[in-house]
Amino acid sequence: MRRRPGLVADYRSDAAIFRTNVQRFWLAVLLVAVVVLGLGGTLPLIPGLLRFSLAGDLLLLGTTAMFASIGAIGLNIATGYAGQVSLGHAFFLGIGAFTGAVLGGAEVTRTVIDPATGEAGEIVLLVGYGLDMIIWLPAAGLVAALLGFLVAPISSKLRGLYLAFVTLGLVILGGHFFREAETYTGGVGIGRETGAPSLLGFRFDQDGEVFGLFLSRTQKLYFLGLALLIVLGLTARNLARSRVGRALAAVRDRDIAAEMMGISLSRYKMIAFVVSSFYAGIAGALLYAAIGRLQPESFSLLLSIEYIAMVLIGGVATVSGSIMGAVFITFLPRIVQWMAQFWIFGFISESSVGGFVTAAQFEQILFGGLIVGFLIFEPLGLYGIWIRVRNYWRAWPFSY
């Protein structure tokens, strides 16, 4: 046993977050690499040939990927761990985004003259309370979780295709609400500014020094995203290996058998839906706070499909897979632009017109093709590929 650290002989070891010191070592290396990239450093992917850095707007993409990873982890809790097919993730992202914008954003008023009395008065164009992020960020998750709690009794009675259609209805209803509630959302084509990412006076949206180190606005948001992703990722991983997580897995694998074992289907489906909605609310508030503005029409079915793709491509029922999928989908437009530089992809036109396909069209083709490809050839997604590579090198040179 002592000479075989990879051998799992009990449930506690199987459910541990890190089974070996090697995993802890490589996680530490990964975190150091992410921090170096955030500070403007360069990593040699292939020494002497290929380097990678988050220069320019790639840093903002990296920040967006971290916030999107939180949302993908949330969807994976409902879909991957509990087996609840949800197309309504965009609705909960929107609820979180607008809750954060209303509570943290500024009020917009306009002075008007009353034609009857001739007196000047103010009308509120946009509701905003200008609260600190320590209030609006948790509130964004809690409001989304509350709505998830209200929807959960319906979702617990349904499964598969029927549940997918119910959650699709949430996206349609939410889209109508976001468009019509102009006092809160700003209206179609106009939108509104988000809440200021200010935590107890510390501004994440302004350049400044942190512990004697000058950081740009994007770098501050990048490290905020990294910190929150670590906390929420570990929370989700602990949930998955707890009693609740084992019950969710039993419900997902065979709900009738789980019920016969005494597991309450409605209770655990509700827990999965509420926790998933909380993560989506947090992610929605952070995603648009990083951009600084949000539009009511942003939260469509396409956004839900993007998050489903993150889970499918990254890996179902894994926190690591959720992060891999979110990073891949966020960077996909840049990956396509990078591919277009090579002669073998000469059919991709970097301009909006001309060529066999434009970069945007090829991105859509690749997006759909990857979903189909992973479902057929690698259901565990990028996480499954990583496991294969890791196991190959662990047994090298006897990997056969």
Side-chain angles (χ1 to χ4, degrees), residues 302-314:
L302 180 60
L303 184 61
S304 288
I305 293 175
E306 282 186 8
Y307 274 83
I308 291 174
M310 290 177 189
V311 172
L312 291 177
I313 292 175

Side-chain angles (χ1 to χ4, degrees), residues 333 336-363:
V336 171
Q337 290 178 7
W338 176 73
M339 291 167 62
Q341 299 174 2
F342 297 93
W343 67 267
I344 195 171
F345 296 106
F347 58 90
I348 302 175
S349 172
E350 295 187 63
S351 62
S352 58
V353 294
F356 183 70
V357 292
T358 64
Q361 291 170 336
F362 186 74
E363 178 192 333

Side-chain angles (χ1 to χ4, degrees), residues 9 31 106 117 177 238 311 324 342 390:
L31 287 176
T117 62
F177 173 76
N238 272 310
V311 172
M324 290 179 187
F342 297 93
R390 188 187 68 181

Side-chain angles (χ1 to χ4, degrees), residues 73-285:
I73 291 171
L75 182 60
N76 222 336
I77 290 173
T79 301
Y81 288 105
Q84 302 290 291
V85 181
S86 173
L87 295 176
H89 214 56
F91 170 73
F92 296 108
L93 286 165
I95 291 294
F98 282 113
T99 301
V102 170
L103 294 180
E107 183 181 71
V108 178
T109 60
R110 187 176 66 184
T111 303
V112 295
I113 304 296
D114 188 340
T117 62
E119 296 180 353
E122 287 192 341
I123 60 172
V124 177
L125 297 180
L126 272 179
V127 176
Y129 296 99
L131 299 177
D132 193 271
M133 192 169 75
I134 200 169
I135 296 175
W136 65 254
L137 183 57
L142 291 174
V143 172
L146 176 62
L147 289 175
F149 176 77
L150 296 177
V151 176
I154 303 173
S155 68
S156 64
K157 304 293 182 184
L158 303 171
R159 62 182 178 179
L161 191 60
Y162 299 101
L163 177 59
F165 279 121
V166 168
T167 52
L168 175 61
L170 285 178
V171 177
I172 297 172
L173 289 173
H176 177 73
F177 173 76
F178 297 149
R179 288 192 300 272
E180 298 301 323
E182 296 181 355
T183 311
Y184 297 95
T185 65
V188 177
I190 301 175
R192 68 171 297 160
E193 291 186 355
T194 58
S198 172
L199 182 65
L200 301 176
F202 181 82
R203 299 297 298 261
F204 287 95
D205 58 342
Q206 295 178 357
D207 299 348
E209 288 192 357
V210 181
F211 301 118
L213 189 65
F214 183 81
L215 296 178
S216 67
R217 166 187 181 276
T218 310
Q219 284 176 315
K220 286 183 177 179
L221 290 170
Y222 177 88
F223 287 112
L224 171 66
L226 177 61
L228 290 174
L229 179 58
I230 291 173
V231 171
L232 293 173
L234 287 175
T235 303
R237 185 69 185 89
N238 272 310
L239 178 72
R241 68 198 192 101
S242 68
R243 178 181 177 181
V244 174
R246 295 193 295 273
L248 293 180
V251 172
R252 175 198 61 201
D253 293 340
R254 192 66 176 171
D255 54 353
I256 296 176
E259 192 171 25
M260 291 181 67
M261 288 189 293
I263 296 174
S264 172
L265 299 186
S266 57
R267 178 186 176 191
Y268 285 102
K269 285 182 178 180
M270 182 186 69
I271 291 174
F273 219 77
V274 169
V275 175
S276 172
S277 304
F278 178 82
Y279 273 68
I282 294 288

